[in-house]
Amino acid sequence: MSLQDQCILPAIRKMKDLEKLMKSSYTYIVLLDSHIGQLKSIVDLGRAHGKKMLLHADLIEGLKNDEFAAEFLCQSIRPAGIISTRGNVITKTRQNGLLAIQRLFLLDSSALDKSYTLLERTQPDYIEVMPGVIPHIIKEVKERSGIPIFAGGLIRSIDDVEQALAAGATAVTTSNHELWQHYDGVTRRHNQS
């Protein structure tokens, strides 16, 4: 799956941010905080503007984050993909043919080791490494897993983005509006998959 060479995945928390992004060149957009009652209209609005929504299942109010919720999202809401920290959600998402993005919080060496075990079991399409400001860990996870990486969390500057991409990240997820504007229309300059 190609992200159409997007090096930034804008991550939105508010509807006014989504409205701004409808006019951008970004195709893939991450929806963070949301309510179950808003999902269908948000995904449909995005689709009407040629946008592909990636829903963060862990952050949907009114929906328990389990395999039944993933089935509901895949069958009824039909986003482009689902992001989650939960392995069963990633597995169900893959079974339904949507993009499955395993979010990993790499707090210490133990968390990193447990993450490798989880990745072997779930085999997601992408991994979102949190925080995304640790280039040598991005490189290690990509090399060890063979799965494309998104870098997210604590990305505050163009330098942070460039370091993550240079370390092997396919894209950077960020809610930073200035970074959205800076990279809008910019295609991949690094030779990563």
Side-chain angles (χ1 to χ4, degrees):
M1 194 285 322
S2 166
L3 293 176
Q4 299 179 340
D5 293 328
Q6 268 185 241
C7 59
I8 292 288
L9 294 172
I12 62 167
R13 295 185 186 279
K14 299 174 188 158
M15 282 302 293
K16 64 181 179 180
D17 291 339
L18 178 63
E19 292 167 8
K20 289 176 190 172
L21 288 170
M22 291 300 109
K23 299 172 187 159
S24 74
S25 67
Y26 294 112
T27 300
Y28 288 89
I29 299 170
V30 176
L31 179 62
L32 296 173
D33 302 323
S34 60
H35 185 277
I36 188 172
Q38 300 172 316
L39 292 178
K40 183 84 171 123
S41 61
I42 291 171
V43 171
D44 288 347
L45 175 66
R47 193 174 290 123
H49 286 86
K51 308 302 181 188
K52 297 180 180 185
M53 303 303 296
L54 303 173
L55 302 181
H56 195 306
D58 302 2
L59 302 176
I60 299 171
E61 291 183 41
L63 187 68
K64 181 179 178 184
N65 188 21
D66 61 14
E67 63 271 11
F68 301 107
E71 186 76 30
F72 167 76
L73 292 172
C74 292
Q75 297 296 320
S76 298
I77 307 299
R78 298 185 336 269
I82 295 176
I83 301 168
S84 181
T85 57
R86 299 183 51 112
N88 57 347
V89 170
I90 296 303
T91 300
K92 186 57 73 174
T93 301
R94 283 186 50 94
Q95 290 171 355
N96 278 276
L98 299 182
L99 287 177
I101 301 124
Q102 180 78 59
R103 186 179 241 197
L104 303 176
F105 289 99
L106 302 179
L107 306 173
D108 57 24
S109 296
S110 176
L112 183 58
D113 290 341
K114 288 177 185 174
S115 294
Y116 288 131
T117 302
L118 177 65
L119 294 172
E120 287 175 18
R121 185 173 42 105
T122 62
Q123 290 296 302
D125 297 298
Y126 291 92
I127 302 164
E128 183 180 27
V129 173
M130 305 282 285
V133 291
I134 313 172
H136 67 281
I137 297 297
I138 292 169
K139 183 177 180 180
E140 177 186 322
V141 172
K142 182 179 180 189
E143 287 174 355
R144 184 158 171 191
S145 71
I147 300 170
I149 304 291
F150 297 157
L154 302 176
I155 303 287
R156 297 181 176 155
S157 68
I158 293 168
D159 189 52
D160 291 340
V161 171
E162 294 299 325
Q163 285 186 37
L165 295 172
T170 298
V172 172
T173 59
T174 182
S175 57
N176 183 309
H177 294 218
E178 290 81 22
L179 293 175
W180 298 353
Q181 290 172 347
H182 180 81
Y183 286 96
D184 191 8
V186 174
T187 57
R188 295 282 295 144
R189 293 180 299 226
H190 301 279
N191 189 19
Q192 271 73 261
S193 56

